[in-house]
PDB file of all heavy atoms in Angstrom:
ATOM      1  N   ALA A 118      13.494  12.396   1.988  1.00 94.00           N
ATOM      2  CA  ALA A 118      12.900  13.709   2.287  1.00 94.00           C
ATOM      3  C   ALA A 118      11.441  13.520   2.653  1.00 94.00           C
ATOM      4  O   ALA A 118      10.547  13.999   1.968  1.00 94.00           O
ATOM      5  CB  ALA A 118      13.039  14.649   1.078  1.00 94.00           C
ATOM      6  N   GLU A 126      14.344  24.567   1.029  1.00 93.00           N
ATOM      7  CA  GLU A 126      13.185  25.421   1.277  1.00 93.00           C
ATOM      8  C   GLU A 126      13.546  26.655   2.083  1.00 93.00           C
ATOM      9  O   GLU A 126      12.912  27.700   1.961  1.00 93.00           O
ATOM     10  CB  GLU A 126      12.100  24.613   1.996  1.00 93.00           C
ATOM     11  CG  GLU A 126      11.458  23.603   1.073  1.00 93.00           C
ATOM     12  CD  GLU A 126      10.822  22.451   1.816  1.00 93.00           C
ATOM     13  OE1 GLU A 126      10.758  22.518   3.050  1.00 93.00           O
ATOM     14  OE2 GLU A 126      10.397  21.480   1.157  1.00 93.00           O
ATOM     15  N   ALA A 141      31.206  12.177 -16.181  1.00 98.00           N
ATOM     16  CA  ALA A 141      31.967  10.992 -15.785  1.00 98.00           C
ATOM     17  C   ALA A 141      33.298  11.395 -15.183  1.00 98.00           C
ATOM     18  O   ALA A 141      34.030  12.187 -15.775  1.00 98.00           O
ATOM     19  CB  ALA A 141      32.197  10.104 -17.003  1.00 98.00           C
ATOM     20  N   GLU A 143      35.287   8.836 -14.196  1.00 98.00           N
ATOM     21  CA  GLU A 143      36.117   7.688 -14.593  1.00 98.00           C
ATOM     22  C   GLU A 143      35.430   7.048 -15.801  1.00 98.00           C
ATOM     23  O   GLU A 143      34.281   7.350 -16.102  1.00 98.00           O
ATOM     24  CB  GLU A 143      36.286   6.681 -13.438  1.00 98.00           C
ATOM     25  CG  GLU A 143      34.986   6.127 -12.878  1.00 98.00           C
ATOM     26  CD  GLU A 143      35.246   5.105 -11.752  1.00 98.00           C
ATOM     27  OE1 GLU A 143      36.062   4.194 -11.942  1.00 98.00           O
ATOM     28  OE2 GLU A 143      34.584   5.207 -10.709  1.00 98.00           O
ATOM     29  N   ILE A 164      10.792  19.713 -13.984  1.00 97.00           N
ATOM     30  CA  ILE A 164      12.238  19.588 -14.240  1.00 97.00           C
ATOM     31  C   ILE A 164      12.453  18.816 -15.542  1.00 97.00           C
ATOM     32  O   ILE A 164      11.771  17.825 -15.810  1.00 97.00           O
ATOM     33  CB  ILE A 164      12.942  18.865 -13.065  1.00 97.00           C
ATOM     34  CG1 ILE A 164      12.783  19.669 -11.771  1.00 97.00           C
ATOM     35  CG2 ILE A 164      14.423  18.626 -13.376  1.00 97.00           C
ATOM     36  CD1 ILE A 164      13.327  18.960 -10.537  1.00 97.00           C
ATOM     37  N   GLN A 165      13.407  19.294 -16.338  1.00 97.00           N
ATOM     38  CA  GLN A 165      13.716  18.700 -17.641  1.00 97.00           C
ATOM     39  C   GLN A 165      15.026  17.910 -17.545  1.00 97.00           C
ATOM     40  O   GLN A 165      16.029  18.444 -17.065  1.00 97.00           O
ATOM     41  CB  GLN A 165      13.872  19.844 -18.664  1.00 97.00           C
ATOM     42  CG  GLN A 165      14.334  19.445 -20.035  1.00 97.00           C
ATOM     43  CD  GLN A 165      13.176  19.071 -20.932  1.00 97.00           C
ATOM     44  OE1 GLN A 165      12.021  19.296 -20.569  1.00 97.00           O
ATOM     45  NE2 GLN A 165      13.451  18.464 -22.065  1.00 97.00           N
ATOM     46  N   ARG A 205      25.300   3.477  -8.859  1.00 95.00           N
ATOM     47  CA  ARG A 205      25.229   2.040  -8.566  1.00 95.00           C
ATOM     48  C   ARG A 205      25.040   1.222  -9.834  1.00 95.00           C
ATOM     49  O   ARG A 205      25.717   0.228 -10.061  1.00 95.00           O
ATOM     50  CB  ARG A 205      24.007   1.723  -7.695  1.00 95.00           C
ATOM     51  CG  ARG A 205      24.058   2.312  -6.361  1.00 95.00           C
ATOM     52  CD  ARG A 205      22.802   1.956  -5.568  1.00 95.00           C
ATOM     53  NE  ARG A 205      23.176   2.023  -4.179  1.00 95.00           N
ATOM     54  CZ  ARG A 205      23.605   0.988  -3.479  1.00 95.00           C
ATOM     55  NH1 ARG A 205      23.618  -0.221  -4.007  1.00 95.00           N
ATOM     56  NH2 ARG A 205      23.993   1.139  -2.249  1.00 95.00           N
ATOM     57  N   MET A 206      24.062   1.644 -10.648  1.00 97.00           N
ATOM     58  CA  MET A 206      23.749   0.855 -11.832  1.00 97.00           C
ATOM     59  C   MET A 206      24.909   0.891 -12.827  1.00 97.00           C
ATOM     60  O   MET A 206      25.243  -0.131 -13.432  1.00 97.00           O
ATOM     61  CB  MET A 206      22.434   1.347 -12.459  1.00 97.00           C
ATOM     62  CG  MET A 206      21.235   1.064 -11.547  1.00 97.00           C
ATOM     63  SD  MET A 206      19.642   1.664 -12.214  1.00 97.00           S
ATOM     64  CE  MET A 206      19.426   0.515 -13.593  1.00 97.00           C
ATOM     65  N   GLY A 208      27.958   1.325 -12.009  1.00 96.00           N
ATOM     66  CA  GLY A 208      29.011   0.521 -11.385  1.00 96.00           C
ATOM     67  C   GLY A 208      28.847  -0.953 -11.724  1.00 96.00           C
ATOM     68  O   GLY A 208      29.816  -1.641 -12.082  1.00 96.00           O
ATOM     69  N   ALA A 219      36.546  -9.831 -20.809  1.00 98.00           N
ATOM     70  CA  ALA A 219      37.563 -10.840 -20.495  1.00 98.00           C
ATOM     71  C   ALA A 219      37.276 -12.182 -21.172  1.00 98.00           C
ATOM     72  O   ALA A 219      38.186 -12.973 -21.405  1.00 98.00           O
ATOM     73  CB  ALA A 219      37.665 -11.029 -18.986  1.00 98.00           C
ATOM     74  N   VAL A 220      36.010 -12.449 -21.468  1.00 98.00           N
ATOM     75  CA  VAL A 220      35.680 -13.742 -22.080  1.00 98.00           C
ATOM     76  C   VAL A 220      35.399 -13.611 -23.574  1.00 98.00           C
ATOM     77  O   VAL A 220      34.897 -14.560 -24.197  1.00 98.00           O
ATOM     78  CB  VAL A 220      34.478 -14.415 -21.366  1.00 98.00           C
ATOM     79  CG1 VAL A 220      34.753 -14.562 -19.865  1.00 98.00           C
ATOM     80  CG2 VAL A 220      33.183 -13.654 -21.614  1.00 98.00           C
ATOM     81  N   ARG A 224      32.585 -18.977 -26.072  1.00 96.00           N
ATOM     82  CA  ARG A 224      31.140 -19.100 -26.147  1.00 96.00           C
ATOM     83  C   ARG A 224      30.470 -18.698 -24.827  1.00 96.00           C
ATOM     84  O   ARG A 224      29.239 -18.714 -24.717  1.00 96.00           O
ATOM     85  CB  ARG A 224      30.748 -20.537 -26.479  1.00 96.00           C
ATOM     86  CG  ARG A 224      31.150 -21.544 -25.401  1.00 96.00           C
ATOM     87  CD  ARG A 224      30.741 -22.974 -25.772  1.00 96.00           C
ATOM     88  NE  ARG A 224      29.313 -23.159 -25.741  1.00 96.00           N
ATOM     89  CZ  ARG A 224      28.559 -23.420 -26.797  1.00 96.00           C
ATOM     90  NH1 ARG A 224      29.105 -23.568 -27.976  1.00 96.00           N
ATOM     91  NH2 ARG A 224      27.257 -23.551 -26.683  1.00 96.00           N
ATOM     92  N   ALA A 225      31.273 -18.358 -23.806  1.00 98.00           N
ATOM     93  CA  ALA A 225      30.721 -18.166 -22.464  1.00 98.00           C
ATOM     94  C   ALA A 225      30.008 -16.823 -22.301  1.00 98.00           C
ATOM     95  O   ALA A 225      30.480 -15.794 -22.788  1.00 98.00           O
ATOM     96  CB  ALA A 225      31.840 -18.278 -21.428  1.00 98.00           C
ATOM     97  N   ASP A 229      24.392 -13.082 -13.798  1.00 97.00           N
ATOM     98  CA  ASP A 229      24.301 -12.690 -12.397  1.00 97.00           C
ATOM     99  C   ASP A 229      23.707 -13.825 -11.565  1.00 97.00           C
ATOM    100  O   ASP A 229      23.484 -14.931 -12.049  1.00 97.00           O
ATOM    101  CB  ASP A 229      23.443 -11.428 -12.259  1.00 97.00           C
ATOM    102  CG  ASP A 229      22.072 -11.598 -12.882  1.00 97.00           C
ATOM    103  OD1 ASP A 229      21.603 -12.750 -13.059  1.00 97.00           O
ATOM    104  OD2 ASP A 229      21.435 -10.581 -13.211  1.00 97.00           O
ATOM    105  N   LYS A 232      22.081 -12.836  -5.666  1.00 93.00           N
ATOM    106  CA  LYS A 232      22.712 -12.036  -4.611  1.00 93.00           C
ATOM    107  C   LYS A 232      22.641 -10.548  -4.938  1.00 93.00           C
ATOM    108  O   LYS A 232      23.669  -9.877  -5.088  1.00 93.00           O
ATOM    109  CB  LYS A 232      24.171 -12.482  -4.428  1.00 93.00           C
ATOM    110  CG  LYS A 232      24.288 -13.901  -3.896  1.00 93.00           C
ATOM    111  CD  LYS A 232      25.735 -14.326  -3.732  1.00 93.00           C
ATOM    112  CE  LYS A 232      25.818 -15.803  -3.352  1.00 93.00           C
ATOM    113  NZ  LYS A 232      27.193 -16.317  -3.338  1.00 93.00           N
ATOM    114  N   SER A 258      10.792 -18.396  -7.737  1.00 93.00           N
ATOM    115  CA  SER A 258       9.518 -18.836  -8.318  1.00 93.00           C
ATOM    116  C   SER A 258       9.615 -19.210  -9.787  1.00 93.00           C
ATOM    117  O   SER A 258       8.661 -19.750 -10.336  1.00 93.00           O
ATOM    118  CB  SER A 258       8.464 -17.726  -8.170  1.00 93.00           C
ATOM    119  OG  SER A 258       8.260 -17.377  -6.827  1.00 93.00           O
ATOM    120  N   ASP A 259      10.715 -18.918 -10.467  1.00 89.00           N
ATOM    121  CA  ASP A 259      10.650 -19.156 -11.902  1.00 89.00           C
ATOM    122  C   ASP A 259      11.642 -20.131 -12.518  1.00 89.00           C
ATOM    123  O   ASP A 259      11.691 -20.244 -13.749  1.00 89.00           O
ATOM    124  CB  ASP A 259      10.603 -17.833 -12.678  1.00 89.00           C
ATOM    125  CG  ASP A 259      11.734 -16.899 -12.379  1.00 89.00           C
ATOM    126  OD1 ASP A 259      11.850 -16.461 -11.238  1.00 89.00           O
ATOM    127  OD2 ASP A 259      12.492 -16.608 -13.300  1.00 89.00           O
ATOM    128  N   LEU A 278      19.594 -41.258  -8.421  1.00 94.00           N
ATOM    129  CA  LEU A 278      19.529 -39.832  -8.735  1.00 94.00           C
ATOM    130  C   LEU A 278      18.768 -39.606 -10.041  1.00 94.00           C
ATOM    131  O   LEU A 278      17.931 -38.702 -10.149  1.00 94.00           O
ATOM    132  CB  LEU A 278      20.960 -39.260  -8.825  1.00 94.00           C
ATOM    133  CG  LEU A 278      21.065 -37.759  -9.060  1.00 94.00           C
ATOM    134  CD1 LEU A 278      20.253 -36.977  -8.039  1.00 94.00           C
ATOM    135  CD2 LEU A 278      22.523 -37.301  -9.013  1.00 94.00           C
ATOM    136  N   ARG A 286      11.160 -33.763 -12.727  1.00 94.00           N
ATOM    137  CA  ARG A 286      10.792 -33.198 -14.034  1.00 94.00           C
ATOM    138  C   ARG A 286       9.302 -33.408 -14.299  1.00 94.00           C
ATOM    139  O   ARG A 286       8.616 -32.538 -14.841  1.00 94.00           O
ATOM    140  CB  ARG A 286      11.651 -33.845 -15.127  1.00 94.00           C
ATOM    141  CG  ARG A 286      11.228 -33.560 -16.535  1.00 94.00           C
ATOM    142  CD  ARG A 286      11.356 -32.091 -16.880  1.00 94.00           C
ATOM    143  NE  ARG A 286      12.619 -31.830 -17.549  1.00 94.00           N
ATOM    144  CZ  ARG A 286      13.075 -30.592 -17.777  1.00 94.00           C
ATOM    145  NH1 ARG A 286      12.394 -29.540 -17.391  1.00 94.00           N
ATOM    146  NH2 ARG A 286      14.229 -30.427 -18.378  1.00 94.00           N
ATOM    147  N   GLY A 287       8.792 -34.543 -13.891  1.00 94.00           N
ATOM    148  CA  GLY A 287       7.381 -34.851 -14.138  1.00 94.00           C
ATOM    149  C   GLY A 287       6.417 -33.973 -13.377  1.00 94.00           C
ATOM    150  O   GLY A 287       5.236 -33.906 -13.707  1.00 94.00           O
ATOM    151  N   ALA A 341      29.289 -22.676 -15.105  1.00 98.00           N
ATOM    152  CA  ALA A 341      30.409 -22.744 -14.166  1.00 98.00           C
ATOM    153  C   ALA A 341      30.174 -21.726 -13.071  1.00 98.00           C
ATOM    154  O   ALA A 341      29.741 -20.602 -13.334  1.00 98.00           O
ATOM    155  CB  ALA A 341      31.713 -22.442 -14.882  1.00 98.00           C
ATOM    156  N   VAL A 345      35.028 -17.291  -9.363  1.00 96.00           N
ATOM    157  CA  VAL A 345      35.043 -16.484 -10.581  1.00 96.00           C
ATOM    158  C   VAL A 345      35.488 -15.073 -10.232  1.00 96.00           C
ATOM    159  O   VAL A 345      34.824 -14.372  -9.464  1.00 96.00           O
ATOM    160  CB  VAL A 345      33.637 -16.452 -11.217  1.00 96.00           C
ATOM    161  CG1 VAL A 345      33.654 -15.575 -12.467  1.00 96.00           C
ATOM    162  CG2 VAL A 345      33.150 -17.859 -11.524  1.00 96.00           C
ATOM    163  N   THR A 356      37.472 -23.052 -21.105  1.00 98.00           N
ATOM    164  CA  THR A 356      37.197 -24.493 -20.975  1.00 98.00           C
ATOM    165  C   THR A 356      36.005 -24.925 -21.822  1.00 98.00           C
ATOM    166  O   THR A 356      35.756 -26.112 -21.976  1.00 98.00           O
ATOM    167  CB  THR A 356      36.875 -24.862 -19.506  1.00 98.00           C
ATOM    168  OG1 THR A 356      35.668 -24.194 -19.122  1.00 98.00           O
ATOM    169  CG2 THR A 356      38.009 -24.483 -18.573  1.00 98.00           C
ATOM    170  N   GLY A 376      29.825  12.587 -11.425  1.00 96.00           N
ATOM    171  CA  GLY A 376      29.600  13.847 -10.716  1.00 96.00           C
ATOM    172  C   GLY A 376      28.341  14.530 -11.201  1.00 96.00           C
ATOM    173  O   GLY A 376      27.964  14.407 -12.376  1.00 96.00           O
ATOM    174  N   ASP A 378      27.083  18.322 -11.065  1.00 95.00           N
ATOM    175  CA  ASP A 378      27.422  19.683 -10.642  1.00 95.00           C
ATOM    176  C   ASP A 378      26.259  20.615 -10.921  1.00 95.00           C
ATOM    177  O   ASP A 378      25.856  20.799 -12.062  1.00 95.00           O
ATOM    178  CB  ASP A 378      28.680  20.140 -11.373  1.00 95.00           C
ATOM    179  CG  ASP A 378      29.877  19.257 -11.029  1.00 95.00           C
ATOM    180  OD1 ASP A 378      30.170  19.118  -9.827  1.00 95.00           O
ATOM    181  OD2 ASP A 378      30.464  18.677 -11.958  1.00 95.00           O
ATOM    182  N   VAL A 379      25.763  21.202  -9.846  1.00 94.00           N
ATOM    183  CA  VAL A 379      24.585  22.056  -9.946  1.00 94.00           C
ATOM    184  C   VAL A 379      25.016  23.512  -9.941  1.00 94.00           C
ATOM    185  O   VAL A 379      25.801  23.925  -9.096  1.00 94.00           O
ATOM    186  CB  VAL A 379      23.651  21.802  -8.744  1.00 94.00           C
ATOM    187  CG1 VAL A 379      22.389  22.639  -8.863  1.00 94.00           C
ATOM    188  CG2 VAL A 379      23.332  20.322  -8.631  1.00 94.00           C
TER     189      VAL A 379
END
Side-chain angles (χ1 to χ4, degrees):
Chain A
E126 289 157 8
E143 58 179 311
I164 298 174
Q165 174 88 10
R205 295 180 155 267
M206 293 178 70
V220 304
R224 64 180 291 114
D229 55 22
K232 294 180 187 173
S258 301
D259 56 297
L278 184 53
R286 169 64 96 191
V345 178
T356 64
D378 298 305
V379 182

